[in-house]
Amino acid sequence: MPSALKGKDILHVKDLKLEQISLVLETAARYENVVANGGRLNIMAGKVLATLFFESSIQTRLTFESAMLRLGGNVVSVTDVKASTSGIKGERLYDTGKMIDGYADVAVIRHALEGSAKELADGANVPVINGGDGAGQHPTQALMDLYTIQKEKGRLNNLNVTLAGDLKNGRTVHSLSWLLGKFGPRFYFVSPQELRMPPEITKALCDDGIEVVETSNLEEAAAKSDVLYMTRIQRERFTDEQEYERLKGVYVVNNEFIQNARRGITIMHPLPRLDEIAREVDAYEGSAYFRQAANGVPVRMAIIALVTGCE
Ligand code: NCD
């Protein structure tokens, strides 16, 4: 039976059906076991992944490239981050997509403009994966976040989850709230007034019967939450530097904070962190952010193998 994801672009989490999400999580778990037991996968031998990162990235890029190598495939990369659509040559992403077909079997793109992954995908025949488009979406991060929650909590259903920080500009929380919304959570959206979750996302969740509490009080939300997902204030999306300076230190999770939070709370963060989680918190057993980062490899292995039909 062909995979439910074969030939598909991964652009927005809204396009993912429950069975496709389960398939990614199950495949990732299987791959993680193989790699953990010293095994090798060679299912992408002779295939090429193109990584086009026009906006800075360490984790997403390295996990995608590591994932492809662990599947036995190869990687080609655009390393000139200034070569974006508005760059020196003015090349359109649609045309880049047309060319990619000749060079690679699958592509992942990160770009500062919302909708950029879609433009590349419109040109390309090979599957295109959105590795973050501006303040828009980051679907593969949301899938690895789900995978992490499942592993840490043993389930995805009926969890109280706080998403905190820059909910306006953070693409990870945009994707995660759509995706986790399928599993009947109660959400606390914690941010300063200026950085609230886009109203269309909150409204869509409420229309689906999901309980969403919007507040600026992190302590109160954490006292009731199974999972706290912290995010950094997204400096690169601010037009007013003073506004960024005013908001950047608004939430800090430290050991004292953890003591007042719900017992056993899991702390997540897509990374990079700035000051919103103190380093002392790393020793707390519920701090899952580095495990979350490591989970990026098996989850992205699964995504690459499934969309190319190699699984
Ligand atoms: C996130 C991103 O790029 O949106 N990072 C990541 O992919 N791990 C979060 C962030 O940059 O704050």
Side-chain angles (χ1 to χ4, degrees):
M1 203 178 76
S3 134
L5 280 165
K6 185 177 176 189
K8 295 251 183 301
D9 301 315
I10 308 289
L11 302 179
H12 194 301
V13 288
K14 271 206 275 189
D15 306 332
L16 293 171
K17 298 192 188 65
L18 215 44
E19 58 162 34
Q20 295 170 324
I21 297 166
S22 304
L23 183 64
V24 171
L25 301 185
E26 284 160 23
T27 309
R30 198 153 34 83
Y31 291 173
E32 189 184 352
N33 270 332
V34 174
V35 173
N37 292 324
R40 278 186 61 87
L41 285 153
N42 213 24
I43 55 180
M44 298 283 306
K47 305 276 189 211
V48 176
L49 166 75
T51 58
L52 299 95
F53 279 72
F54 300 117
E55 205 184 46
S56 85
S57 163
I58 295 178
Q59 190 205 130
T60 305
R61 181 183 192 133
L62 289 185
T63 49
F64 265 111
E65 297 190 353
S66 171
M68 187 60 172
L69 298 176
R70 286 189 188 284
L71 290 166
N74 292 299
V75 178
V76 291
S77 296
V78 174
T79 49
D80 179 6
V81 291
K82 288 194 237 47
S84 60
T85 43
S86 56
I88 304 160
K89 294 192 186 173
E91 179 175 315
R92 301 287 189 271
L93 283 172
Y94 176 87
D95 290 354
T96 313
K98 291 268 170 228
M99 294 190 307
I100 286 287
D101 283 344
Y103 312 149
D105 303 283
V106 52
V108 52
I109 176 172
R110 167 170 291 192
H111 198 289
L113 287 181
E114 233 173 293
S116 49
K118 165 95 174 61
E119 199 189 326
L120 187 78
D122 285 346
N125 275 325
V126 297
V128 169
I129 300 166
N130 181 2
D133 62 332
Q137 282 282 305
H138 198 348
T140 65
Q141 176 74 44
L143 286 162
M144 64 188 254
D145 294 343
L146 276 198
Y147 185 78
T148 303
I149 293 171
Q150 167 104 58
K151 268 183 90 173
E152 299 286 327
K153 292 295 182 201
R155 69 182 205 278
L156 289 170
N157 284 307
N158 302 320
L159 290 165
N160 287 358
V161 178
T162 291
L163 306 182
D166 189 347
L167 305 186
K168 178 181 175 205
N169 299 302
R171 54 197 171 200
T172 62
V173 284
H174 298 166
S175 288
L176 183 57
S177 50
W178 282 117
L179 211 54
L180 203 51
K182 293 178 185 288
F183 298 89
R186 174 192 283 160
F187 277 133
Y188 295 93
F189 288 168
V190 180
S191 71
Q193 188 63 24
E194 297 85 340
L195 300 176
R196 285 172 67 174
M197 185 67 87
E200 65 272 19
I201 296 182
T202 313
K203 182 172 181 311
L205 290 166
C206 292
D207 289 350
D208 274 355
I210 307 296
E211 199 178 326
V212 179
V213 178
E214 290 192 275
T215 173
S216 57
N217 190 325
L218 185 59
E219 285 77 12
E220 268 179 34
K224 297 180 194 140
S225 291
D226 304 297
V227 176
L228 166 58
Y229 191 100
M230 290 297 291
T231 63
R232 111 191 128 84
I233 308 297
Q234 306 276 302
R235 180 180 204 155
E236 65 276 35
R237 312 277 177 240
F238 280 68
T239 44
D240 180 349
E241 184 67 20
Q242 278 179 353
E243 166 122 312
Y244 169 74
E245 289 296 327
R246 190 168 58 77
L247 293 170
K248 70 175 184 192
V250 62
Y251 300 119
V252 176
V253 172
N254 53 24
N255 281 346
E256 193 190 332
F257 177 95
I258 299 284
Q259 269 167 15
N260 296 316
R262 186 171 191 167
R263 233 188 120 114
I265 191 168
T266 295
I267 312 290
M268 295 175 64
H269 193 302
L271 305 178
R273 74 170 147 182
L274 301 178
D275 299 322
E276 58 277 353
I277 301 179
R279 201 176 277 186
E280 64 185 19
V281 177
D282 296 0
Y284 164 61
E285 60 184 12
S287 290
Y289 30 94
F290 293 119
R291 295 192 288 274
Q292 178 187 358
N295 289 337
V297 176
V299 171
R300 287 171 171 140
M301 286 171 77
I303 293 166
I304 294 169
L306 287 164
V307 296
T308 51
C310 290
E311 160 49 38

